[in-house]
Amino acid sequence: MKKDYKLPSLDDARKRNRELSQKLSFKLDDKYKDIGKGKKYFIITHGCQANQRDSETMAGILDTLGYESCDSEKKADVIIINTCAVRKGAEDKVLGEVGALKRLKYNKPDLIICLAGCMAQEEETVKIIMEKYRQVDIIFGTHNITSLPKLLYEVYTTKQRKIEVYSKMGDIVESVPVTRFMSHKAWVNIMYGCDKFCTYCIVPYTRGKERSRYKEDIIYEVEELVRQGYKEVCLLGQNVNAYGKDLSLDYTFGNLLNDVAATGIARIRFVTSHPWDFDDTMIQAIKNNPNIMPYIHLPIQSGNTEILKKMNRRYTREEYLSLFDKLKKELPGFAFTTDIIVGFPNESDEAFEDTLSAVEHCQFDNAFTFIYSPREGTPAAKFEDKIDRKTKEERLQRLNERVAYYANLNNQKFKDKVVEVLVDGLSKRNSNVYSGYTPENKLVNFTGNNVKTGDLVKVRITEVMSFSLNGELVE
Ligand code: SAH
Ligand code: SF4
Ligand code: F3S
Protein backbone atom coordinates (compact mmCIF):
# COMPACT_ATOMS: atom_id res chain seq x y z
CA MET A 1 0.00 0.00 0.00
CA LYS A 2 1.29 3.49 -0.86
CA LYS A 3 1.88 5.64 2.18
CA ASP A 4 0.60 9.21 1.99
CA TYR A 5 1.58 10.07 5.53
CA LYS A 6 4.83 10.81 7.36
CA LEU A 7 5.95 8.18 9.84
CA PRO A 8 7.72 9.11 13.07
CA SER A 9 11.35 8.04 13.36
CA LEU A 10 13.02 6.69 16.51
CA ASP A 11 16.38 7.44 14.84
CA ASP A 12 15.51 11.14 14.59
CA ALA A 13 14.13 11.09 18.12
CA ARG A 14 17.52 9.91 19.43
CA LYS A 15 19.29 13.14 18.40
CA ARG A 16 20.39 15.62 21.03
CA ASN A 17 22.02 19.06 20.95
CA ARG A 18 23.16 21.47 23.63
CA GLU A 19 20.86 24.28 22.57
CA LEU A 20 18.36 25.72 24.99
CA SER A 21 14.82 24.50 24.27
CA GLN A 22 12.39 27.08 22.91
CA LYS A 23 9.72 28.43 25.20
CA LEU A 24 6.42 28.89 23.36
CA SER A 25 3.03 30.15 24.44
CA PHE A 26 -0.17 28.36 23.47
CA LYS A 27 -2.70 30.35 21.43
CA LEU A 28 -6.03 29.06 20.17
CA ASP A 29 -6.97 30.10 16.62
CA ASP A 30 -10.46 31.68 16.52
CA LYS A 31 -11.60 29.31 13.78
CA TYR A 32 -11.39 26.31 16.13
CA LYS A 33 -13.46 27.85 18.91
CA ASP A 34 -16.77 26.07 19.50
CA ILE A 35 -15.99 23.06 17.24
CA GLY A 36 -16.91 20.87 20.20
CA LYS A 37 -20.24 22.51 21.06
CA GLY A 38 -22.81 19.82 21.85
CA LYS A 39 -20.21 17.03 21.65
CA LYS A 40 -18.74 14.80 24.34
CA TYR A 41 -15.27 13.32 24.93
CA PHE A 42 -13.77 10.41 26.85
CA ILE A 43 -10.05 9.97 27.58
CA ILE A 44 -8.40 6.64 28.48
CA THR A 45 -4.97 7.05 30.10
CA HIS A 46 -2.19 4.46 30.32
CA GLY A 47 1.35 4.79 31.65
CA CYS A 48 3.10 7.08 34.06
CA GLN A 49 2.23 10.35 35.76
CA ALA A 50 3.57 12.31 32.78
CA ASN A 51 0.77 10.75 30.74
CA GLN A 52 -1.82 11.47 33.42
CA ARG A 53 -0.80 15.13 33.31
CA ASP A 54 -0.87 15.14 29.48
CA SER A 55 -4.42 13.77 29.56
CA GLU A 56 -5.38 16.71 31.78
CA THR A 57 -3.95 19.01 29.11
CA MET A 58 -5.95 17.23 26.39
CA ALA A 59 -9.09 17.60 28.54
CA GLY A 60 -8.30 21.30 29.06
CA ILE A 61 -7.98 21.85 25.32
CA LEU A 62 -11.21 19.96 24.56
CA ASP A 63 -13.11 21.92 27.24
CA THR A 64 -11.85 25.16 25.69
CA LEU A 65 -13.22 23.99 22.32
CA GLY A 66 -16.68 23.53 23.83
CA TYR A 67 -16.65 19.73 24.29
CA GLU A 68 -17.96 18.21 27.51
CA SER A 69 -16.42 15.22 29.26
CA CYS A 70 -18.49 12.07 29.74
CA ASP A 71 -18.11 8.84 31.69
CA SER A 72 -18.07 6.15 29.00
CA GLU A 73 -16.84 5.38 25.50
CA LYS A 74 -20.41 4.73 24.40
CA LYS A 75 -21.58 8.30 25.04
CA ALA A 76 -18.53 9.95 23.49
CA ASP A 77 -18.14 11.76 20.16
CA VAL A 78 -14.36 11.87 20.61
CA ILE A 79 -12.32 9.14 22.32
CA ILE A 80 -8.62 9.63 23.06
CA ILE A 81 -6.40 6.73 24.09
CA ASN A 82 -3.27 8.15 25.69
CA THR A 83 -0.78 5.29 25.42
CA CYS A 84 2.39 3.98 27.08
CA ALA A 85 5.23 2.22 25.24
CA VAL A 86 7.45 1.23 28.15
CA ARG A 87 6.75 -2.53 27.93
CA LYS A 88 5.15 -4.79 25.34
CA GLY A 89 2.35 -5.71 27.76
CA ALA A 90 1.26 -2.06 27.92
CA GLU A 91 1.18 -1.88 24.12
CA ASP A 92 -0.77 -5.10 23.65
CA LYS A 93 -3.41 -3.83 26.04
CA VAL A 94 -3.86 -0.68 23.96
CA LEU A 95 -4.12 -2.59 20.68
CA GLY A 96 -6.80 -4.78 22.27
CA GLU A 97 -8.67 -1.67 23.38
CA VAL A 98 -8.46 -0.06 19.94
CA GLY A 99 -9.68 -3.33 18.42
CA ALA A 100 -12.70 -3.35 20.71
CA LEU A 101 -13.66 0.18 19.59
CA LYS A 102 -14.18 -0.98 16.01
CA ARG A 103 -17.76 -1.96 16.72
CA LEU A 104 -18.57 1.34 18.35
CA LYS A 105 -17.24 3.22 15.32
CA TYR A 106 -19.27 1.00 13.00
CA ASN A 107 -22.46 1.88 14.86
CA LYS A 108 -21.54 5.55 15.13
CA PRO A 109 -19.54 6.56 12.04
CA ASP A 110 -19.11 10.18 13.22
CA LEU A 111 -17.19 9.01 16.29
CA ILE A 112 -13.59 10.25 16.26
CA ILE A 113 -10.99 7.92 17.76
CA CYS A 114 -7.55 9.34 18.58
CA LEU A 115 -4.36 7.52 19.54
CA ALA A 116 -1.94 9.70 21.51
CA GLY A 117 1.04 9.32 23.84
CA CYS A 118 4.26 7.33 23.69
CA MET A 119 3.09 4.57 21.30
CA ALA A 120 2.28 7.22 18.73
CA GLN A 121 5.99 8.11 18.66
CA GLU A 122 6.92 4.63 17.34
CA GLU A 123 7.05 4.10 13.61
CA GLU A 124 6.02 0.46 13.86
CA THR A 125 2.92 1.28 15.89
CA VAL A 126 1.87 4.04 13.52
CA LYS A 127 2.28 1.65 10.55
CA ILE A 128 0.14 -1.01 12.27
CA ILE A 129 -2.57 1.47 13.21
CA MET A 130 -2.68 2.98 9.73
CA GLU A 131 -2.87 -0.38 8.03
CA LYS A 132 -4.88 -2.55 10.40
CA TYR A 133 -6.88 -0.30 12.67
CA ARG A 134 -8.80 1.92 10.28
CA GLN A 135 -11.22 2.95 13.04
CA VAL A 136 -8.51 5.32 14.34
CA ASP A 137 -9.01 8.82 12.86
CA ILE A 138 -6.21 10.82 14.49
CA ILE A 139 -2.72 9.88 15.68
CA PHE A 140 -0.85 12.62 17.52
CA GLY A 141 2.44 12.40 19.39
CA THR A 142 3.72 13.67 22.73
CA HIS A 143 5.10 16.83 21.03
CA ASN A 144 1.81 17.48 19.20
CA ILE A 145 -0.80 17.79 21.94
CA THR A 146 -1.37 21.47 21.22
CA SER A 147 -2.27 20.58 17.60
CA LEU A 148 -5.40 18.78 18.78
CA PRO A 149 -7.80 21.64 17.80
CA LYS A 150 -6.32 21.78 14.27
CA LEU A 151 -6.40 17.99 13.84
CA LEU A 152 -10.03 17.70 14.95
CA TYR A 153 -11.03 20.59 12.70
CA GLU A 154 -9.29 18.96 9.74
CA VAL A 155 -11.01 15.63 10.31
CA TYR A 156 -14.41 17.35 10.53
CA THR A 157 -13.80 19.35 7.35
CA THR A 158 -11.92 16.82 5.18
CA LYS A 159 -13.24 13.49 6.54
CA GLN A 160 -9.66 12.17 6.16
CA ARG A 161 -7.51 10.44 8.77
CA LYS A 162 -4.79 12.67 10.22
CA ILE A 163 -1.36 11.95 11.69
CA GLU A 164 0.90 14.47 13.35
CA VAL A 165 3.86 13.03 15.20
CA TYR A 166 7.12 15.01 15.44
CA SER A 167 10.27 13.08 16.23
CA LYS A 168 12.06 16.05 17.70
CA MET A 169 13.77 17.15 20.87
CA GLY A 170 10.77 19.18 21.95
CA ASP A 171 9.87 22.63 23.25
CA ILE A 172 8.45 24.01 26.45
CA VAL A 173 4.89 25.20 25.85
CA GLU A 174 3.32 27.39 28.51
CA SER A 175 -0.22 28.73 29.00
CA VAL A 176 -1.84 25.53 27.70
CA PRO A 177 -5.32 24.96 29.14
CA VAL A 178 -5.63 22.23 31.76
CA THR A 179 -8.61 20.48 33.35
CA ARG A 180 -7.28 18.66 36.38
CA PHE A 181 -8.96 15.37 37.21
CA MET A 182 -8.60 15.83 40.97
CA SER A 183 -9.50 18.80 43.14
CA HIS A 184 -7.04 18.22 45.99
CA LYS A 185 -3.87 16.75 44.42
CA ALA A 186 -2.12 18.09 41.31
CA TRP A 187 0.64 16.94 38.98
CA VAL A 188 3.10 19.72 38.15
CA ASN A 189 5.60 19.16 35.34
CA ILE A 190 8.95 20.63 36.22
CA MET A 191 10.79 19.14 33.26
CA TYR A 192 10.16 17.02 30.20
CA GLY A 193 12.08 14.29 28.38
CA CYS A 194 15.11 12.27 29.38
CA ASP A 195 18.78 12.23 28.34
CA LYS A 196 19.89 9.25 30.40
CA PHE A 197 19.40 6.68 27.63
CA CYS A 198 19.28 3.58 29.82
CA THR A 199 19.78 0.88 27.19
CA TYR A 200 16.42 -0.84 27.79
CA CYS A 201 14.25 2.26 27.84
CA ILE A 202 12.11 3.86 25.13
CA VAL A 203 11.28 7.05 27.07
CA PRO A 204 14.18 9.22 25.76
CA TYR A 205 12.88 8.47 22.23
CA THR A 206 9.20 9.09 22.94
CA ARG A 207 9.59 12.18 25.12
CA GLY A 208 12.52 14.05 23.63
CA LYS A 209 15.38 15.79 25.32
CA GLU A 210 15.65 16.66 29.00
CA ARG A 211 14.35 20.23 29.28
CA SER A 212 13.31 22.21 32.33
CA ARG A 213 10.47 24.67 32.75
CA TYR A 214 11.46 28.07 34.11
CA LYS A 215 11.16 28.27 37.88
CA GLU A 216 8.84 31.31 37.67
CA ASP A 217 6.31 29.29 35.64
CA ILE A 218 6.46 26.35 38.07
CA ILE A 219 6.13 28.46 41.21
CA TYR A 220 3.30 30.51 39.70
CA GLU A 221 1.46 27.25 38.90
CA VAL A 222 1.89 25.97 42.48
CA GLU A 223 0.79 29.33 43.96
CA GLU A 224 -2.28 29.22 41.76
CA LEU A 225 -3.02 25.66 43.01
CA VAL A 226 -2.71 26.83 46.63
CA ARG A 227 -5.23 29.62 45.88
CA GLN A 228 -7.60 27.03 44.42
CA GLY A 229 -7.40 24.97 47.62
CA TYR A 230 -5.11 22.14 46.45
CA LYS A 231 -3.41 20.25 49.28
CA GLU A 232 -0.73 18.35 47.41
CA VAL A 233 1.52 18.81 44.40
CA CYS A 234 3.66 16.12 42.84
CA LEU A 235 6.59 17.57 40.89
CA LEU A 236 7.12 15.52 37.75
CA GLY A 237 10.10 14.63 35.63
CA GLN A 238 11.78 11.44 34.41
CA ASN A 239 14.74 12.54 36.50
CA VAL A 240 13.79 15.50 38.71
CA ASN A 241 17.25 15.68 40.28
CA ALA A 242 18.58 16.99 36.96
CA TYR A 243 16.16 19.93 37.08
CA GLY A 244 17.67 23.19 35.84
CA LYS A 245 20.90 21.74 34.44
CA ASP A 246 19.91 22.62 30.88
CA LEU A 247 19.06 26.20 31.85
CA SER A 248 22.55 26.88 33.32
CA LEU A 249 21.11 29.34 35.82
CA ASP A 250 22.87 27.98 38.88
CA TYR A 251 19.45 27.00 40.22
CA THR A 252 18.97 23.29 40.89
CA PHE A 253 16.26 20.95 42.11
CA GLY A 254 17.24 21.65 45.73
CA ASN A 255 16.58 25.37 45.17
CA LEU A 256 13.28 24.61 43.47
CA LEU A 257 12.19 22.39 46.38
CA ASN A 258 12.82 25.26 48.81
CA ASP A 259 10.84 27.71 46.66
CA VAL A 260 7.93 25.32 46.13
CA ALA A 261 7.87 24.61 49.88
CA ALA A 262 7.68 28.37 50.53
CA THR A 263 4.32 28.55 48.69
CA GLY A 264 2.83 26.91 51.79
CA ILE A 265 1.19 23.98 49.96
CA ALA A 266 0.46 21.28 52.56
CA ARG A 267 2.18 18.38 50.80
CA ILE A 268 4.94 18.16 48.22
CA ARG A 269 6.02 14.97 46.46
CA PHE A 270 8.33 14.41 43.51
CA VAL A 271 9.05 11.58 41.03
CA THR A 272 11.37 10.23 39.77
CA SER A 273 14.77 10.61 41.39
CA HIS A 274 17.62 8.99 39.51
CA PRO A 275 20.42 7.99 41.91
CA TRP A 276 22.90 9.73 39.59
CA ASP A 277 22.44 13.34 40.70
CA PHE A 278 20.92 13.14 44.17
CA ASP A 279 22.98 15.96 45.68
CA ASP A 280 23.37 17.43 49.16
CA THR A 281 21.35 20.61 48.38
CA MET A 282 18.43 18.30 47.69
CA ILE A 283 18.90 16.41 50.94
CA GLN A 284 19.09 19.70 52.89
CA ALA A 285 15.93 21.05 51.20
CA ILE A 286 14.06 17.84 52.02
CA LYS A 287 15.27 18.01 55.64
CA ASN A 288 14.44 21.68 56.15
CA ASN A 289 10.89 21.74 54.79
CA PRO A 290 8.25 19.81 56.73
CA ASN A 291 5.82 20.04 53.80
CA ILE A 292 8.12 17.90 51.65
CA MET A 293 6.76 14.42 52.27
CA PRO A 294 8.94 11.69 53.84
CA TYR A 295 8.90 9.46 50.79
CA ILE A 296 11.53 8.82 48.14
CA HIS A 297 11.28 6.70 45.03
CA LEU A 298 14.80 5.71 44.03
CA PRO A 299 14.90 3.15 41.20
CA ILE A 300 17.75 0.63 41.49
CA GLN A 301 16.80 -1.55 38.45
CA SER A 302 19.43 -4.18 39.33
CA GLY A 303 21.74 -4.99 42.24
CA ASN A 304 24.54 -6.24 40.00
CA THR A 305 27.23 -3.86 38.78
CA GLU A 306 27.81 -5.64 35.49
CA ILE A 307 24.11 -5.55 34.60
CA LEU A 308 23.87 -1.91 35.74
CA LYS A 309 26.73 -1.14 33.37
CA LYS A 310 24.96 -2.89 30.48
CA MET A 311 21.84 -0.92 31.40
CA ASN A 312 23.87 2.33 31.26
CA ARG A 313 22.57 3.30 34.70
CA ARG A 314 25.79 5.23 35.54
CA TYR A 315 26.19 3.81 39.08
CA THR A 316 27.56 0.61 40.58
CA ARG A 317 25.83 -1.59 43.15
CA GLU A 318 28.11 -0.10 45.83
CA GLU A 319 27.34 3.49 44.79
CA TYR A 320 23.59 2.86 44.94
CA LEU A 321 23.81 1.17 48.35
CA SER A 322 26.02 3.88 49.80
CA LEU A 323 23.63 6.63 48.57
CA PHE A 324 20.73 4.64 49.96
CA ASP A 325 22.43 4.24 53.37
CA LYS A 326 23.25 7.94 53.45
CA LEU A 327 19.63 8.91 52.70
CA LYS A 328 18.31 6.45 55.24
CA LYS A 329 20.59 7.95 57.90
CA GLU A 330 19.96 11.60 56.98
CA LEU A 331 16.22 11.18 56.54
CA PRO A 332 14.96 9.04 59.40
CA GLY A 333 11.38 7.83 59.19
CA PHE A 334 11.27 8.20 55.41
CA ALA A 335 9.73 5.50 53.22
CA PHE A 336 11.76 4.29 50.23
CA THR A 337 10.47 2.54 47.13
CA THR A 338 12.21 1.39 43.98
CA ASP A 339 11.85 -0.06 40.47
CA ILE A 340 13.50 -3.36 39.54
CA ILE A 341 13.88 -5.14 36.20
CA VAL A 342 14.50 -8.91 36.21
CA GLY A 343 15.65 -10.92 33.23
CA PHE A 344 17.73 -8.23 31.54
CA PRO A 345 19.56 -9.91 28.59
CA ASN A 346 21.85 -12.68 29.85
CA GLU A 347 21.26 -11.86 33.53
CA SER A 348 22.99 -14.76 35.32
CA ASP A 349 21.71 -16.49 38.45
CA GLU A 350 24.48 -14.74 40.39
CA ALA A 351 23.46 -11.35 39.00
CA PHE A 352 19.87 -11.97 40.03
CA GLU A 353 21.03 -13.03 43.51
CA ASP A 354 22.79 -9.66 43.75
CA THR A 355 19.44 -7.96 43.10
CA LEU A 356 17.84 -10.05 45.85
CA SER A 357 20.62 -9.22 48.28
CA ALA A 358 20.27 -5.50 47.48
CA VAL A 359 16.57 -5.84 48.35
CA GLU A 360 17.53 -7.56 51.63
CA HIS A 361 19.92 -4.69 52.35
CA CYS A 362 17.55 -1.83 51.55
CA GLN A 363 14.34 -3.41 52.87
CA PHE A 364 12.23 -1.21 50.60
CA ASP A 365 8.73 -0.12 51.59
CA ASN A 366 7.66 -1.29 48.15
CA ALA A 367 9.11 -2.06 44.74
CA PHE A 368 7.63 -1.97 41.26
CA THR A 369 9.04 -5.06 39.60
CA PHE A 370 9.07 -5.90 35.91
CA ILE A 371 10.29 -8.57 33.56
CA TYR A 372 12.56 -6.97 30.96
CA SER A 373 10.68 -6.25 27.76
CA PRO A 374 12.74 -5.60 24.59
CA ARG A 375 11.84 -2.25 23.00
CA GLU A 376 12.61 -1.94 19.31
CA GLY A 377 15.01 0.91 18.59
CA THR A 378 16.79 0.71 21.97
CA PRO A 379 20.33 -0.76 22.24
CA ALA A 380 19.35 -3.59 24.64
CA ALA A 381 16.87 -4.98 22.09
CA LYS A 382 19.93 -6.18 20.13
CA PHE A 383 21.70 -7.77 23.12
CA GLU A 384 22.00 -11.55 23.12
CA ASP A 385 19.62 -13.13 25.64
CA LYS A 386 19.86 -16.82 26.53
CA ILE A 387 17.62 -16.66 29.57
CA ASP A 388 14.26 -18.34 28.99
CA ARG A 389 10.90 -16.87 29.94
CA LYS A 390 10.23 -19.45 32.66
CA THR A 391 13.43 -18.58 34.52
CA LYS A 392 12.51 -14.90 34.32
CA GLU A 393 9.04 -15.57 35.68
CA GLU A 394 10.46 -17.63 38.56
CA ARG A 395 12.87 -14.83 39.39
CA LEU A 396 10.06 -12.28 39.38
CA GLN A 397 8.06 -14.45 41.74
CA ARG A 398 10.96 -14.91 44.14
CA LEU A 399 11.66 -11.20 44.06
CA ASN A 400 8.01 -10.29 44.65
CA GLU A 401 7.91 -12.54 47.71
CA ARG A 402 10.84 -10.69 49.27
CA VAL A 403 9.38 -7.30 48.32
CA ALA A 404 6.06 -8.21 49.97
CA TYR A 405 7.89 -9.45 53.07
CA TYR A 406 9.70 -6.14 53.59
CA ALA A 407 6.63 -4.10 52.64
CA ASN A 408 4.77 -5.88 55.42
CA LEU A 409 7.65 -5.51 57.87
CA ASN A 410 7.86 -1.75 57.22
CA ASN A 411 4.11 -1.38 57.65
CA GLN A 412 4.13 -3.11 61.05
CA LYS A 413 5.49 0.03 62.68
CA PHE A 414 2.21 1.81 61.89
CA LYS A 415 0.10 -0.61 63.94
CA ASP A 416 -1.95 1.30 66.58
CA LYS A 417 -0.34 4.59 65.51
CA VAL A 418 -2.31 7.71 64.61
CA VAL A 419 -1.36 8.93 61.12
CA GLU A 420 -2.33 11.93 59.00
CA VAL A 421 -4.26 11.01 55.86
CA LEU A 422 -5.07 13.21 52.88
CA VAL A 423 -8.50 11.91 51.87
CA ASP A 424 -8.94 10.86 48.22
CA GLY A 425 -12.60 9.89 48.65
CA LEU A 426 -14.58 6.73 49.09
CA SER A 427 -12.56 3.58 48.71
CA LYS A 428 -12.80 1.85 45.31
CA ARG A 429 -13.48 -1.49 46.94
CA ASN A 430 -15.90 -0.67 49.73
CA SER A 431 -18.42 2.16 49.61
CA ASN A 432 -18.57 2.63 53.39
CA VAL A 433 -14.85 3.12 53.62
CA TYR A 434 -12.67 6.13 52.75
CA SER A 435 -9.16 6.00 51.37
CA GLY A 436 -6.15 8.26 51.23
CA TYR A 437 -2.41 8.38 51.77
CA THR A 438 -0.11 9.06 54.73
CA PRO A 439 2.91 11.36 54.34
CA GLU A 440 5.00 8.20 53.69
CA ASN A 441 2.68 7.41 50.76
CA LYS A 442 1.03 4.46 52.51
CA LEU A 443 -2.48 3.72 51.29
CA VAL A 444 -4.97 3.80 54.17
CA ASN A 445 -8.58 2.54 54.06
CA PHE A 446 -10.57 3.80 57.02
CA THR A 447 -14.05 4.09 58.45
CA GLY A 448 -15.49 7.43 59.56
CA ASN A 449 -18.21 10.01 59.10
CA ASN A 450 -18.42 13.48 57.59
CA VAL A 451 -15.18 13.17 55.68
CA LYS A 452 -14.61 14.90 52.33
CA THR A 453 -12.08 14.50 49.53
CA GLY A 454 -9.17 16.83 50.28
CA ASP A 455 -9.54 16.75 54.08
CA LEU A 456 -6.41 16.12 56.13
CA VAL A 457 -7.59 13.81 58.92
CA LYS A 458 -6.16 11.73 61.73
CA VAL A 459 -6.65 7.98 61.48
CA ARG A 460 -5.75 5.25 63.99
CA ILE A 461 -4.27 2.20 62.25
CA THR A 462 -5.97 -0.99 63.38
CA GLU A 463 -4.74 -3.51 60.83
CA VAL A 464 -1.61 -3.80 58.74
CA MET A 465 -1.29 -5.51 55.37
CA SER A 466 1.70 -5.63 53.01
CA PHE A 467 0.46 -2.96 50.62
CA SER A 468 -2.13 -1.02 52.63
CA LEU A 469 -3.26 -0.12 56.13
CA ASN A 470 -6.75 -0.21 57.66
CA GLY A 471 -7.91 2.20 60.30
CA GLU A 472 -10.61 4.35 61.87
CA LEU A 473 -11.06 8.09 61.97
CA VAL A 474 -9.97 9.68 65.23
CA GLU A 475 -12.81 11.96 66.26
N1 SAH B 1 12.56 7.75 34.73
C1 SAH B 1 12.29 6.71 35.60
C2 SAH B 1 11.58 5.52 35.01
C3 SAH B 1 10.54 5.62 34.00
S1 SAH B 1 9.96 4.11 33.34
C4 SAH B 1 13.60 6.22 36.17
O1 SAH B 1 14.62 6.27 35.56
O2 SAH B 1 13.58 5.73 37.25
C5 SAH B 1 9.41 3.26 34.80
C6 SAH B 1 10.08 1.95 35.03
O3 SAH B 1 9.75 1.03 34.02
C7 SAH B 1 11.59 1.97 35.05
O4 SAH B 1 12.13 2.41 36.24
C8 SAH B 1 11.94 0.54 34.76
O5 SAH B 1 12.04 -0.22 35.95
C9 SAH B 1 10.76 0.04 33.95
N2 SAH B 1 11.13 -0.17 32.54
C10 SAH B 1 11.54 0.75 31.65
N3 SAH B 1 11.82 0.16 30.46
C11 SAH B 1 11.59 -1.16 30.63
C12 SAH B 1 11.70 -2.30 29.78
N4 SAH B 1 12.13 -2.20 28.53
N5 SAH B 1 11.35 -3.51 30.28
C13 SAH B 1 10.92 -3.64 31.56
N6 SAH B 1 10.80 -2.61 32.40
C14 SAH B 1 11.13 -1.37 31.95
FE1 SF4 C 1 14.21 5.54 31.02
FE2 SF4 C 1 16.54 5.64 32.25
FE3 SF4 C 1 15.38 7.91 31.40
FE4 SF4 C 1 14.33 6.57 33.46
S1 SF4 C 1 16.36 7.55 33.39
S2 SF4 C 1 13.22 7.41 31.70
S3 SF4 C 1 14.73 4.44 32.90
S4 SF4 C 1 16.17 6.26 30.11
FE1 F3S D 1 5.01 5.02 29.41
FE2 F3S D 1 5.68 7.16 28.07
FE3 F3S D 1 5.42 7.29 30.68
S1 F3S D 1 6.43 5.12 27.69
S2 F3S D 1 6.02 5.25 31.33
S3 F3S D 1 3.81 6.87 29.24
S4 F3S D 1 6.88 8.41 29.44
Side-chain angles (χ1 to χ4, degrees), residues 86-87 200-201 238 272 299 301 313 339 341 370-373 375:
V86 84
R87 283 171 292 275
Y200 51 81
C201 183
Q238 292 302 338
T272 296
Q301 312 298 359
R313 284 295 287 185
D339 289 350
I341 298 176
F370 313 100
I371 292 184
Y372 166 70
S373 169
R375 303 285 68 210

Side-chain angles (χ1 to χ4, degrees), residues 32 155 180 277 369 381 458 470:
Y32 305 136
V155 172
R180 297 186 190 269
D277 18 38
T369 58
K458 297 269 183 258
N470 287 344

Side-chain angles (χ1 to χ4, degrees), residues 40 56 103 120 187 195 199 209 251 275 324 367 371 373 437 468:
K40 294 193 163 52
E56 295 182 337
R103 229 195 139 68
W187 311 113
D195 286 349
T199 53
K209 101 170 176 181
Y251 182 92
F324 184 88
I371 292 184
S373 169
Y437 286 85
S468 64

Side-chain angles (χ1 to χ4, degrees), residues 429-441:
R429 294 215 188 131
N430 185 336
S431 62
N432 300 316
V433 172
Y434 294 92
S435 73
Y437 286 85
T438 71
E440 300 81 5
N441 213 31

Side-chain angles (χ1 to χ4, degrees), residues 26 43 106 333 416:
F26 177 77
I43 304 177
Y106 182 78
D416 302 325

Side-chain angles (χ1 to χ4, degrees), residues 65-79:
L65 296 176
Y67 291 90
E68 268 178 62
S69 71
C70 66
D71 58 8
S72 88
E73 284 107 322
K74 290 206 181 80
K75 296 182 196 155
D77 302 289
V78 173
I79 298 173

